[in-house]
Amino acid sequence: MTTFLDMLRSITADTYATFKTAVELGKWPDGRKLTQEQKEMCLQAMIAWEQENLPEEERTGYMPPQHCKSETKTIPNILFSTGSDTLH
């Protein structure tokens, strides 16, 4: 009997693409609807395949580092100003 890990190791790029399209559309290439269990298994297989074959920024669910735009701006301190930096 083949384990889930053995199955994951045997996934090709074509199989990955089929799983990804099936999850995106909610159906197999022949038009049959994916069951909830099939969606979950396909997603698990996709994520495992991506972990081994894609750079981090190309993986499902990747979010780049987030920064607040206000961190790049200097905000004047109007409570404790020295007179030369007061707002008029």
Side-chain angles (χ1 to χ4, degrees), residues 16-77:
Y16 164 79
T18 299
F19 287 170
K20 187 171 183 178
T21 301
V23 169
E24 289 170 349
L25 300 178
K27 58 185 176 179
W28 293 110
D30 66 3
R32 290 178 295 135
K33 185 177 177 181
L34 267 73
T35 65
Q36 185 61 35
E37 183 181 16
Q38 289 172 330
K39 286 179 191 177
E40 292 171 8
M41 294 294 280
C42 285
L43 278 170
Q44 288 178 21
M46 286 171 48
I47 291 167
W49 187 89
E50 290 172 356
Q51 186 73 27
E52 296 297 318
N53 297 283
L54 294 177
E56 182 179 7
E57 62 274 1
E58 293 180 25
R59 296 178 193 159
T60 298
Y62 172 76
M63 290 183 62
Q66 304 292 308
H67 301 285
C68 182
K69 288 186 177 188
S70 67
E71 290 178 3
T72 61
K73 296 179 183 176
T74 303
I75 301 173
N77 185 338

Side-chain angles (χ1 to χ4, degrees), residues 1-11 41:
M1 183 162 96
T2 305
T3 67
F4 186 68
L5 289 176
D6 292 334
M7 188 270 311
L8 289 176
R9 290 183 188 111
S10 69
I11 293 175
M41 294 294 280

